[in-house]
Coordinates of all heavy atoms in Angstrom, one line a residue:
A1 N 170.8 98.7 61.8 CA 169.9 97.5 61.5 C 170.5 96.8 60.3 O 170.5 95.5 60.3 CB 168.5 98.0 61.3
Y2 N 170.9 97.5 59.3 CA 171.5 96.9 58.1 C 172.7 96.1 58.4 O 173.0 95.0 57.9 CB 171.8 98.0 57.0 CG 172.4 97.5 55.8 CD1 171.7 96.8 54.8 CD2 173.8 97.7 55.6 CE1 172.4 96.3 53.7 CE2 174.4 97.2 54.5 CZ 173.7 96.5 53.5 OH 174.3 96.0 52.4
E3 N 173.6 96.7 59.2 CA 174.8 96.0 59.6 C 174.6 94.8 60.4 O 175.5 93.9 60.5 CB 175.8 97.0 60.3 CG 176.3 98.1 59.4 CD 177.2 99.1 60.1 OE1 177.3 99.1 61.4 OE2 177.9 99.8 59.4
R4 N 173.5 94.6 61.0 CA 173.1 93.3 61.7 C 172.7 92.2 60.8 O 172.5 91.1 61.2 CB 172.1 93.6 62.8 CG 172.6 94.4 64.0 CD 171.8 94.1 65.2 NE 172.3 94.9 66.4 CZ 171.8 94.7 67.6 NH1 170.8 93.8 67.8 NH2 172.3 95.4 68.6
G5 N 172.5 92.6 59.5 CA 172.1 91.6 58.5 C 170.8 91.9 57.9 O 169.9 92.5 58.5
A6 N 170.6 91.3 56.7 CA 169.3 91.5 56.0 C 168.1 91.0 56.8 O 167.0 91.6 56.8 CB 169.4 90.8 54.6
G7 N 168.3 89.9 57.5 CA 167.2 89.3 58.3 C 166.7 90.3 59.4 O 165.5 90.4 59.6
Y8 N 167.7 90.8 60.0 CA 167.4 91.8 61.1 C 166.7 93.0 60.6 O 165.7 93.5 61.2 CB 168.6 92.2 61.9 CG 168.3 92.9 63.1 CD1 168.2 92.3 64.4 CD2 168.1 94.3 63.1 CE1 167.9 93.0 65.5 CE2 167.8 95.1 64.2 CZ 167.8 94.4 65.4 OH 167.4 95.1 66.6
L9 N 167.2 93.6 59.5 CA 166.6 94.8 58.9 C 165.2 94.5 58.5 O 164.3 95.3 58.7 CB 167.4 95.3 57.7 CG 166.8 96.4 57.0 CD1 166.7 97.7 57.9 CD2 167.7 96.8 55.8
R10 N 164.9 93.3 57.9 CA 163.6 93.0 57.4 C 162.6 92.8 58.6 O 161.5 93.3 58.6 CB 163.6 91.7 56.6 CG 162.2 91.3 56.1 CD 162.3 90.1 55.2 NE 163.0 90.5 53.9 CZ 162.4 91.0 52.9 NH1 161.1 91.3 53.0 NH2 163.0 91.3 51.8
E11 N 163.1 92.1 59.7 CA 162.3 91.9 60.9 C 161.9 93.3 61.5 O 160.8 93.5 61.9 CB 163.0 91.0 61.9 CG 162.2 90.7 63.1 CD 163.0 89.8 64.1 OE1 164.0 89.2 63.6 OE2 162.5 89.7 65.2
Q12 N 162.9 94.2 61.7 CA 162.6 95.4 62.3 C 161.7 96.3 61.4 O 160.7 96.9 62.0 CB 163.9 96.2 62.5 CG 163.7 97.7 63.0 CD 164.9 98.4 63.4 OE1 165.5 98.1 64.4 NE2 165.4 99.4 62.6
T13 N 161.9 96.2 60.1 CA 161.0 97.0 59.2 C 159.6 96.4 59.3 O 158.6 97.2 59.3 CB 161.5 96.9 57.8 OG1 162.9 97.4 57.8 CG2 160.7 97.8 56.9
E14 N 159.4 95.1 59.4 CA 158.1 94.5 59.5 C 157.4 94.9 60.8 O 156.2 95.2 60.8 CB 158.2 93.0 59.4 CG 158.5 92.5 58.0 CD 158.7 91.0 58.0 OE1 158.9 90.3 59.0 OE2 158.8 90.4 56.8
E15 N 158.1 95.0 61.9 CA 157.6 95.5 63.1 C 157.1 97.0 63.0 O 156.0 97.3 63.4 CB 158.6 95.4 64.2 CG 158.9 94.0 64.7 CD 160.0 94.0 65.8 OE1 160.4 95.1 66.2 OE2 160.3 92.9 66.2
M16 N 157.9 97.8 62.4 CA 157.5 99.2 62.2 C 156.3 99.4 61.3 O 155.4 100.1 61.6 CB 158.7 100.0 61.7 CG 159.8 100.3 62.7 SD 160.9 101.6 62.3 CE 161.8 100.9 60.9
A17 N 156.4 98.6 60.1 CA 155.3 98.7 59.2 C 154.0 98.2 59.7 O 152.9 98.8 59.5 CB 155.7 97.9 57.9
G18 N 154.0 97.1 60.5 CA 152.8 96.6 61.1 C 152.2 97.6 62.1 O 151.0 97.7 62.2
E19 N 153.1 98.2 62.9 CA 152.6 99.2 63.9 C 152.0 100.4 63.2 O 150.9 100.9 63.5 CB 153.8 99.7 64.7 CG 153.4 100.7 65.8 CD 154.5 101.1 66.7 OE1 155.6 101.5 66.2 OE2 154.4 101.0 67.9
L20 N 152.6 100.9 62.1 CA 152.1 102.1 61.4 C 150.7 101.7 60.7 O 149.8 102.5 60.7 CB 153.1 102.5 60.3 CG 154.4 103.1 60.8 CD1 155.2 103.6 59.6 CD2 154.2 104.2 61.8
K21 N 150.7 100.5 60.2 CA 149.4 100.0 59.6 C 148.3 100.0 60.6 O 147.2 100.4 60.3 CB 149.6 98.6 59.0 CG 148.5 98.1 58.1 CD 148.4 98.8 56.8 CE 147.4 98.2 55.9 NZ 147.4 98.9 54.6
S22 N 148.6 99.5 61.8 CA 147.6 99.5 62.9 C 147.1 100.8 63.3 O 145.9 101.0 63.7 CB 148.2 98.7 64.1 OG 149.1 99.6 64.8
F23 N 147.9 101.9 63.2 CA 147.5 103.2 63.5 C 146.6 103.8 62.4 O 145.8 104.7 62.7 CB 148.7 104.2 63.6 CG 149.6 103.9 64.8 CD1 151.0 104.1 64.7 CD2 149.1 103.4 66.0 CE1 151.8 103.8 65.8 CE2 149.9 103.1 67.1 CZ 151.3 103.4 67.0
G24 N 146.8 103.4 61.2 CA 146.1 103.9 60.0 C 147.0 104.8 59.1 O 146.6 105.4 58.2
I25 N 148.4 104.7 59.4 CA 149.3 105.4 58.5 C 149.4 104.8 57.2 O 149.4 103.5 57.1 CB 150.7 105.4 59.2 CG1 150.7 106.3 60.4 CG2 151.8 105.9 58.2 CD1 150.6 107.8 60.2
N26 N 149.4 105.6 56.1 CA 149.4 105.0 54.7 C 150.6 105.5 53.9 O 150.8 105.1 52.8 CB 148.1 105.2 54.0 CG 147.7 106.7 53.9 OD1 148.5 107.6 53.8 ND2 146.4 106.9 54.0
L27 N 151.4 106.4 54.5 CA 152.6 106.9 53.8 C 153.7 107.1 54.8 O 153.6 107.8 55.8 CB 152.2 108.2 53.1 CG 153.4 109.1 52.6 CD1 154.2 108.4 51.6 CD2 152.8 110.4 52.0
N28 N 154.9 106.5 54.5 CA 156.1 106.6 55.3 C 157.2 107.3 54.5 O 157.5 106.8 53.4 CB 156.6 105.3 55.9 CG 157.7 105.5 56.9 OD1 157.9 106.6 57.4 ND2 158.3 104.4 57.3
F29 N 157.7 108.4 55.0 CA 158.8 109.1 54.3 C 160.1 108.3 54.5 O 161.0 108.7 55.3 CB 158.9 110.5 54.7 CG 157.7 111.3 54.2 CD1 157.0 112.1 55.1 CD2 157.3 111.3 52.9 CE1 155.9 112.8 54.7 CE2 156.2 112.1 52.5 CZ 155.5 112.8 53.4
A30 N 160.2 107.2 53.9 CA 161.4 106.3 54.0 C 161.3 105.3 52.8 O 160.2 105.2 52.2 CB 161.3 105.4 55.3
P31 N 162.4 104.8 52.3 CA 163.7 104.7 53.0 C 164.5 106.0 52.6 O 164.3 106.6 51.6 CB 164.3 103.5 52.3 CG 163.7 103.4 51.0 CD 162.3 103.9 51.1
V32 N 165.5 106.2 53.5 CA 166.6 107.2 53.2 C 167.5 106.5 52.2 O 168.1 105.4 52.5 CB 167.3 107.6 54.5 CG1 168.6 108.4 54.2 CG2 166.4 108.4 55.4
V33 N 167.7 107.1 51.0 CA 168.6 106.5 50.1 C 169.8 107.4 49.8 O 170.5 107.2 48.8 CB 167.9 106.1 48.8 CG1 166.9 105.0 49.0 CG2 167.3 107.3 48.1
D34 N 170.1 108.3 50.8 CA 171.3 109.1 50.7 C 172.5 108.2 50.9 O 172.4 107.2 51.7 CB 171.3 110.1 51.8 CG 170.1 111.1 51.7 OD1 169.9 111.7 50.6 OD2 169.3 111.1 52.6
V35 N 173.6 108.4 50.3 CA 174.9 107.7 50.5 C 175.8 108.6 51.3 O 176.2 109.7 50.9 CB 175.6 107.4 49.1 CG1 176.8 106.6 49.4 CG2 174.6 106.7 48.2
N36 N 176.0 108.2 52.6 CA 176.7 109.1 53.5 C 178.2 109.1 53.3 O 178.9 108.5 54.1 CB 176.3 108.7 55.0 CG 176.7 109.8 56.0 OD1 176.2 110.9 55.9 ND2 177.6 109.4 56.9
T37 N 178.6 109.8 52.3 CA 180.0 109.8 51.9 C 180.9 110.8 52.7 O 182.1 110.7 52.8 CB 180.2 110.2 50.4 OG1 179.5 111.4 50.2 CG2 179.6 109.1 49.5
N38 N 180.2 111.8 53.4 CA 181.0 112.8 54.2 C 180.8 112.4 55.7 O 179.7 112.5 56.2 CB 180.4 114.2 53.9 CG 181.3 115.3 54.5 OD1 181.9 115.1 55.5 ND2 181.4 116.4 53.8
P39 N 181.9 112.0 56.3 CA 181.8 111.6 57.8 C 181.4 112.8 58.7 O 181.0 112.6 59.8 CB 183.3 111.1 58.1 CG 184.1 111.8 57.0 CD 183.3 111.9 55.8
D40 N 181.6 114.1 58.2 CA 181.2 115.2 59.0 C 179.8 115.7 58.7 O 179.3 116.7 59.1 CB 182.1 116.4 58.7 CG 183.6 116.1 59.1 OD1 183.7 115.4 60.2 OD2 184.5 116.5 58.4
N41 N 179.0 114.8 58.0 CA 177.6 115.2 57.6 C 176.8 115.3 58.9 O 176.7 114.3 59.7 CB 177.0 114.1 56.8 CG 175.7 114.5 56.1 OD1 174.8 115.0 56.7 ND2 175.6 114.3 54.8
P42 N 176.2 116.4 59.2 CA 175.5 116.6 60.4 C 174.0 116.1 60.5 O 173.4 116.1 61.6 CB 175.5 118.2 60.6 CG 175.4 118.7 59.2 CD 176.2 117.7 58.4
V43 N 173.5 115.7 59.4 CA 172.1 115.4 59.3 C 171.8 114.0 58.9 O 170.7 113.4 59.3 CB 171.3 116.5 58.4 CG1 171.8 116.3 57.0 CG2 169.8 116.3 58.6
I44 N 172.6 113.4 58.1 CA 172.3 112.0 57.6 C 173.0 111.0 58.5 O 172.3 110.3 59.3 CB 172.8 111.9 56.1 CG1 172.1 112.9 55.2 CG2 172.5 110.4 55.6 CD1 170.6 112.8 55.3

């Protein structure tokens, strides 16, 4: 999403946030701020 541009990332995030808000979710464990420096990283 980030590589498609800031506008795309914002739009996708607004969709996700709006959906979570409609459910009643008040805490999202995001954003991931890990820097993926190891190409063999199995989890990030």
